[in-house]
Amino acid sequence: MSTAAMTNLLSLGKGLYHRGRPVDQGGGISMAASDSLKASQVRDFQSDLVTVLEKWPANALVKDILVDVSYDTIVSKTNRMQLILKEPRIDMVHGIVGARYELDERGRPYHVLTYYSSRTAIQLAVANLDLVATFLEDNFGSKSLKKDKFSEIGEGLTPPHGLSKSRFQQLIHDCIHISSAAIPHFEKSVAEESLVTIFPTEMSAESLASALSFEEARRLVVDETTLLLSPTQLEDLSKKAPYLVTMAIKDSFNIDDNLDNDWAETAPFDIPIPGAEPTIGVIDTLFDQNSPLSPWVDYRPMLSDDIPAFPSDYEHGTRVTSLIVAGHMLNPELDDGCGWFQVRHFGVAQTIGNTVSGLLRDIRRIVRENPDIAVWNLSLGRVEEISPNVISPLAACLDELQNEREILFIVAGTNDNTLSRRRRIGSPADSVNSLVVNTARLDGTPASYSRRGPVLSFFTKPDVCAIGGDTGEFVKVLDTYGVVSECGTSFAAPWIARKAAYLINIIHLPRDVAKALIIDSALSWDATALKRGITTEMGYGIVPQRIEKILQVGNDEIRFYLSGKATSYETYTRGIPVPLLKAEYPYVARAVLSYAPACDKRQGVDYTNTELSLSFGRQEDKENKEGKPRTTIRPIADKFASAPNEFVPFEEAVRKYKRKWDNVKIRAESFKRSRPKQKLSNAGFWGISVRKTERLDDNSGSNLSFGIVVTLKSLDGRNRIEDFIQQSIHLGWDVREINIEEKIRVNLESQQEITFE
């Protein structure tokens, strides 16, 4: 493929700067103009808490009390209760232990947060609510307190005796969005073994199993908050402690790839001897060692020898691995330019009769024992749809491993065999830190079997699409008996796994940069595409088939990346020398941020622990309140839709917070009707700022790695990349050009072809 009129990716290396959170100089607590509070609302909530105290079982299995608090909307961290139900001690047990969304009678979403609080804290809350309600009744009667009067508290309006102005205002603020409270209650019957998740308290899963006198209690424990229970055991738990259970899903699952396939013909090709090619990890069904590609596959069966295996148990895994090893040879028209890959294949599943608990155990062991593998392909998936409120155990496992290790899971988006195109994706395609792949047809439309996101009613899944075959345009794969025409997300994911391994193992890009680069390659400068934004079936879009189109951009574009660790509140850099033309920047810009945060499945929809926000744009000279000069960033005018129309009824909240808490951030401008930008500082540079917010107080976001990919597109079509490189070097940047042609040449030379007789 010709790479004429293309420019290479650049690496910008320079010391990033860090600073802590500035001292808050704000004016304290305030109400929004749209907020209001009546005494009757407070009395209702007070009555609900009294009922919780009265009805909480005297013989409860946990020390303190679980309370479901319903809000009237999706609430940000600052609009949740700060003082009400606050424990005098600080620990990692008490506080919010669960979060989910429910819909009101008009179909609008609202938060339900589950708190674990002591009886003393709830009693104090009841007393404080009485003070708030009495204050409102005495001063406003049946009318509402609003913003103008809220600011008069402590001046014209006197707080109750013994309460400071700030504390009393916080108590009032806590009540604004609360609608009700109740004891959690799980009620569901199941007919087979289930993975049961409990709220996190001082009662661990093992302690709970022992307390209920379950036989072989230790064997039932999956992790600290998950048990593997029989229908009888779950029924017993539901009767004795219905307040403890958050979710139950059946443990068994079958592989969801039951789409039609057929035998196919393809031109014969030579199979070379493996050399120094990168190794991709595959976790799948069994691999048939009689495959012609067997020399390229280090096969490691994980199932017991006592379990009988049938020919059908080898088909899926063998075919997936064939595409990773030699997809470019099996499908010459889809040659991605990545060459051959070796595979370390772990056979963990059969076509039917698998268990989530067994797969969890195997995945953790496999990743722990194979630290040399950076990219893992997981094309297994459940037929059952994911829960809108709780992450699946398999997805949580993948997210944990990717936060702890510099690895990337490429996960198939699962298939809708009914072709309804309305089913939600199946586990583990709800993994937030993984790169989840759906299938696109050759004409750019979703495959007929596409399933859809989002995850936890908010997070973008799938992330991207690749070619995975469909009616009339199958992908060719290889098994023991010959070449087969296949389709499914299982055969789209390997194309992305190949690209990710190329970027990480051959180009040596950091994991988060590789992920950001793949997502960036699926984006467009087109105004219509930007407005459409993320879609539930195709995520951020279709990844180009050729690796060159990921690593190179047009002659009128400049693309560079930065990577680092968010060690403080803000990580930033200045002095990016975007080329000027007569004191103006003749560019539109796009920036993609990716990171793999720690996640907490116990927090329900509030799943990710760390938020990284992204600002990218021109440096601007300003003055602070004391008149001292300071430099800020004027962010680019973001035209990327943060959520698509299909996300209704969550669209309003998601747009408002610009996808806050999602682990991929995109800031993008439209090329159409854009004009050059004036420089805003004497130096005339651009800057980047990444700010960190923690949801919990456990330092789980400490030293969090991130990658940023920036693309600049010239409005006048001129190539200024040499100016950019020279100015960057002059300013002390360590600039490295990724020469794709040289990488391809070296890679091909290392793969000497030898024909097997």
Side-chain angles (χ1 to χ4, degrees):
M1 175 181 174
S2 173
T3 55
M6 302 290 283
T7 59
N8 292 323
L9 174 70
L10 301 175
S11 165
L12 258 60
K14 185 180 181 181
L16 294 171
Y17 302 99
H18 307 275
R19 58 186 168 204
R21 183 184 295 273
V23 178
D24 186 8
Q25 301 294 331
I29 307 160
S30 64
M31 285 180 72
S34 59
D35 288 341
S36 64
L37 184 65
K38 289 184 177 181
S40 58
Q41 295 173 242
V42 182
R43 290 294 183 198
D44 288 343
F45 183 50
Q46 179 189 21
S47 176
D48 287 344
L49 288 182
V50 170
T51 301
V52 167
L53 288 170
E54 292 173 348
K55 292 189 174 182
W56 184 256
N59 60 345
L61 295 179
V62 290
K63 177 182 177 183
D64 292 319
I65 299 174
L66 289 156
V67 187
D68 272 352
V69 176
S70 296
Y71 290 77
D72 63 7
T73 186
I74 297 176
V75 287
S76 64
K77 183 177 180 180
T78 54
N79 283 328
R80 300 175 184 182
M81 295 189 300
Q82 306 293 321
L83 287 181
I84 298 173
L85 298 184
K86 182 176 177 61
E87 292 289 334
R89 60 188 179 278
I90 299 174
D91 58 37
M92 296 308 297
V93 175
H94 294 82
I96 297 175
V97 295
R100 66 183 187 272
Y101 294 138
E102 292 190 2
L103 302 178
D104 63 20
E105 63 279 0
R106 289 179 287 180
R108 297 185 307 181
Y110 62 89
H111 253 125
V112 179
L113 302 181
T114 304
Y115 293 79
Y116 187 52
S117 298
S118 65
R119 180 170 290 271
T120 300
I122 298 174
Q123 290 170 336
L124 179 59
V126 170
N128 283 331
L129 290 170
D130 185 64
L131 293 175
V132 173
T134 300
F135 172 86
L136 294 174
E137 289 163 347
D138 291 346
N139 289 281
F140 302 99
S142 61
K143 296 182 179 179
S144 299
L145 166 68
K146 295 190 176 181
K147 179 180 176 67
D148 56 342
K149 294 298 182 181
F150 183 83
S151 61
E152 294 182 13
I153 294 175
E155 298 174 4
L157 296 172
T158 305
H161 180 70
L163 287 175
S164 66
K165 168 187 172 180
S166 61
R167 186 174 180 83
F168 187 61
Q169 283 185 322
Q170 185 63 62
L171 287 172
I172 290 175
H173 194 271
D174 281 2
C175 297
I176 292 172
H177 293 292
I178 290 174
S179 60
S180 63
I183 296 172
H185 186 80
F186 176 85
E187 192 171 348
K188 180 180 179 181
S189 60
V190 294
E192 55 186 283
E193 273 197 324
S194 298
L195 287 171
V196 179
T197 304
I198 61 174
F199 287 114
T201 64
E202 78 284 347
M203 175 70 75
S204 68
E206 184 175 353
S207 299
L208 177 61
S210 298
L212 294 173
S213 300
F214 289 160
E215 293 183 7
E216 299 182 64
R218 183 169 295 180
R219 184 187 66 82
L220 303 178
V221 175
V222 177
D223 59 38
E224 289 186 355
T225 59
T226 309
L227 293 156
L228 178 62
L229 301 182
S230 68
T232 302
Q233 290 169 329
L234 178 55
E235 183 179 3
D236 190 24
L237 173 58
S238 299
K239 288 179 179 178
K240 295 179 179 178
Y243 46 83
L244 269 181
V245 181
T246 67
M247 178 183 68
I249 63 169
K250 68 178 185 179
D251 187 39
S252 65
F253 77 95
N254 300 327
I255 306 303
D256 83 327
D257 282 282
N258 295 315
L259 300 170
D260 292 335
N261 57 63
D262 200 359
W263 298 106
E265 295 294 333
T266 189
F269 59 89
D270 294 334
I271 300 176
I273 295 175
E277 299 82 7
T279 297
I280 296 174
V282 171
I283 299 174
D284 213 293
T285 65
L286 311 182
F287 176 78
D288 192 334
Q289 292 179 284
N290 293 315
S291 165
L293 296 174
S294 187
W296 287 79
V297 182
D298 176 4
Y299 177 49
R300 304 188 183 185
M302 302 294 290
L303 299 181
S304 169
D305 293 336
D306 297 332
I307 300 175
F310 301 94
S312 59
D313 296 328
Y314 292 87
E315 290 179 357
H316 187 271
T318 304
R319 293 171 181 179
V320 166
T321 281
S322 76
L323 204 54
I324 292 177
V325 172
H328 63 306
M329 302 300 291
L330 289 161
N331 302 270
E333 73 283 3
L334 297 177
D335 186 0
D336 53 12
C338 295
W340 293 79
F341 288 95
Q342 298 189 53
V343 166
R344 196 171 302 161
H345 185 119
F346 298 88
V348 300
Q350 296 172 279
T351 306
I352 60 174
N354 306 295
T355 65
V356 176
S357 55
L359 192 53
L360 284 171
R361 179 184 62 248
D362 287 340
I363 289 175
R364 288 195 176 102
R365 175 186 168 189
I366 288 167
V367 172
R368 182 179 66 249
E369 295 179 353
N370 295 271
D372 58 312
I373 294 181
V375 176
W376 295 88
N377 187 95
L378 186 57
S379 286
L380 301 178
R382 298 193 65 160
V383 175
E384 294 82 7
E385 296 177 279
I386 59 169
S387 165
N389 284 313
V390 184
I391 204 77
S392 70
L394 283 175
C397 173
L398 301 186
D399 290 335
E400 177 185 350
L401 292 171
Q402 288 169 107
N403 170 257
E404 294 175 350
R405 301 167 182 265
E406 189 75 6
I407 61 175
L408 180 61
F409 272 93
I410 311 300
V411 179
T414 64
N415 306 320
D416 177 7
N417 298 320
T418 69
L419 308 184
S420 70
R421 301 217 2 222
R422 301 187 63 85
R423 289 173 60 82
R424 293 193 304 273
I425 57 177
S427 171
D430 52 333
S431 167
V432 170
N433 286 335
S434 298
L435 198 52
V436 177
V437 186
N438 259 17
T439 300
R441 291 180 59 87
L442 294 174
D443 63 2
T445 59
S448 60
Y449 49 82
S450 295
R451 294 170 75 171
R452 54 179 54 208
V455 169
L456 298 179
S457 307
F458 171 76
F459 294 99
T460 299
K461 295 294 160 186
D463 294 286
V464 294
C465 282
I467 301 300
D470 203 351
T471 303
E473 48 182 62
F474 292 97
V475 172
K476 295 182 181 67
V477 296
L478 182 66
D479 64 17
T480 309
Y481 306 104
V483 177
V484 184
S485 292
E486 275 280 18
C487 65
T489 57
S490 288
F491 308 103
W495 293 113
I496 302 300
R498 287 167 56 86
K499 292 175 175 64
Y502 193 96
L503 297 173
I504 294 172
N505 296 112
I506 296 177
I507 305 299
H508 303 298
L509 298 181
R511 184 267 316 270
D512 299 303
V513 171
K515 182 178 177 181
L517 199 59
I518 289 171
I519 290 173
D520 181 82
S521 72
L523 300 174
S524 169
W525 297 108
D526 179 69
T528 303
L530 289 170
K531 186 176 181 181
R532 182 174 64 245
I534 310 160
T535 69
T536 56
E537 290 181 302
M538 303 186 75
Y540 295 104
I542 304 171
V543 177
Q545 188 66 11
R546 294 291 299 187
I547 191 67
E548 294 94 331
K549 291 191 175 182
I550 297 176
L551 284 165
Q552 294 180 318
V553 290
N555 203 40
D556 60 344
E557 296 180 63
I558 299 170
R559 177 179 287 165
F560 61 88
Y561 75 85
L562 304 95
S563 62
K565 292 182 180 292
T567 59
S568 303
Y569 166 68
E570 183 177 21
T571 302
Y572 67 97
T573 189
R574 297 173 180 170
I576 299 174
V578 175
L580 282 160
L581 178 64
K582 297 181 180 179
E584 289 183 329
Y585 302 101
Y587 288 97
V588 289
R590 180 172 69 229
V592 178
L593 165 70
S594 175
Y595 58 101
C599 302
D600 191 341
K601 67 178 182 179
R602 303 172 301 179
Q603 294 292 322
V605 293
D606 294 345
Y607 179 57
T608 51
N609 290 359
T610 306
E611 149 73 4
L612 294 185
S613 65
L614 171 65
S615 290
F616 170 65
R618 293 167 287 170
Q619 291 179 195
E620 185 173 9
D621 292 334
K622 286 188 173 182
E623 292 184 351
N624 61 18
K625 294 179 180 179
E626 290 76 32
K628 295 181 179 179
R630 66 188 182 101
T631 301
T632 62
I633 294 175
R634 174 86 64 89
I636 60 174
D638 187 12
K639 300 295 183 182
F640 187 81
S642 59
N645 293 332
E646 296 102 294
F647 279 37
V648 173
F650 300 92
E651 180 181 8
E652 181 180 355
V654 172
R655 286 184 183 276
K656 180 178 179 181
Y657 296 111
K658 298 297 285 185
R659 303 213 61 78
K660 188 174 183 180
W661 299 105
D662 206 344
N663 61 339
V664 174
K665 299 292 191 308
I666 294 175
R667 304 289 179 260
E669 294 179 305
S670 165
F671 187 79
K672 188 176 181 180
R673 291 192 296 273
S674 291
R675 297 179 178 179
K677 305 173 182 67
Q678 295 284 339
K679 75 172 187 175
L680 301 174
S681 65
N682 292 328
F685 300 136
W686 288 42
I688 293 176
S689 171
V690 174
R691 291 184 176 179
K692 180 169 63 175
T693 303
E694 300 283 8
R695 199 191 298 271
L696 307 174
D697 297 322
D698 60 355
N699 293 319
S700 59
S702 176
N703 294 319
L704 181 61
S705 299
F706 64 84
I708 300 173
V709 173
V710 173
T711 310
L712 305 167
K713 184 174 179 63
S714 172
L715 291 166
D716 58 7
R718 291 179 56 185
N719 182 341
R720 299 182 178 87
I721 191 167
E722 289 301 327
D723 291 343
F724 179 78
I725 292 173
Q726 293 303 319
Q727 290 181 49
S728 297
I729 294 173
H730 178 73
L731 291 169
W733 288 96
D734 178 13
V735 182
R736 182 169 64 94
E737 184 175 1
I738 310 300
N739 191 320
I740 181 67
E741 293 177 331
E742 177 67 14
K743 293 288 185 181
I744 291 174
R745 184 185 63 79
V746 172
N747 195 40
L748 290 175
E749 288 179 355
S750 69
Q751 299 174 14
Q752 181 183 4
E753 295 189 0
I754 298 177
T755 304
F756 280 85
E757 299 296 336

